[in-house]
Amino acid sequence: GSGASLDARLHQLVYQANPKAGAVLHSHGAYTVALTMNGRDFVPPDFEGSYYFGSIPVITIPYERYLEEAPHKVAQILAESRIAVVRGHGVYAQADTMNLAYKWTCSLELSAKTAFIAAQAGTL
């Protein structure tokens, strides 16, 4: 309907591609978005992020093609991964529960913030 999110189709396709997903969450963590603007997959430098994710896939989609391409590309990645980043846009997480999907987004944002601070401090 007219009040639906622009990402409604994306969420539907994630559930279809991964029937085990109980929740899909989209967020716009500034540190995550900033540190993945290079388009390369993000490897958390901290223990928690490394333990939960290993390497986080970063998908590059031209902004003008986002609505057309994002639903299929994100659904495909989230069928295999618990979290993904669309370059310049934000994070998508899938999990059994909304609380767990939220945990993944928060953990990724903390990893990105830690990486940023470590780079500023010259320790990374």
Side-chain angles (χ1 to χ4, degrees):
S2 62
S5 165
L6 289 176
D7 269 342
R9 181 76 181 130
L10 184 150
H11 286 251
Q12 289 172 335
L13 289 180
V14 170
Y15 290 120
Q16 289 172 5
N18 186 353
K20 293 182 180 179
V24 178
L25 186 65
H26 177 48
S27 61
H28 299 269
Y31 286 93
T32 301
V33 172
L35 290 187
T36 58
M37 288 297 289
N38 59 16
R40 292 193 299 268
D41 291 354
F42 178 68
V43 179
D46 60 310
F47 175 82
E48 182 179 12
S50 177
Y51 180 78
Y52 287 142
F53 308 119
S55 179
I56 292 111
V58 176
I59 308 163
T60 297
I61 301 169
Y63 296 151
E64 64 276 6
R65 298 188 51 81
Y66 174 80
L67 292 176
E68 186 178 331
E69 294 184 18
H72 293 285
K73 288 185 176 183
V74 173
Q76 183 180 6
I77 295 289
L78 291 186
E80 304 292 329
S81 181
R82 58 180 52 137
I83 200 159
V85 178
V86 175
R87 183 183 158 276
H89 181 63
V91 176
Y92 291 90
Q94 64 82 18
D96 295 342
T97 65
M98 187 61 73
N99 282 345
L100 190 53
Y102 180 69
K103 176 182 179 176
W104 298 147
T105 62
C106 291
S107 180
L108 175 53
E109 182 65 4
L110 181 60
S111 292
K113 187 173 184 178
T114 299
F116 178 81
I117 294 168
Q120 293 295 304
T123 58
L124 183 64

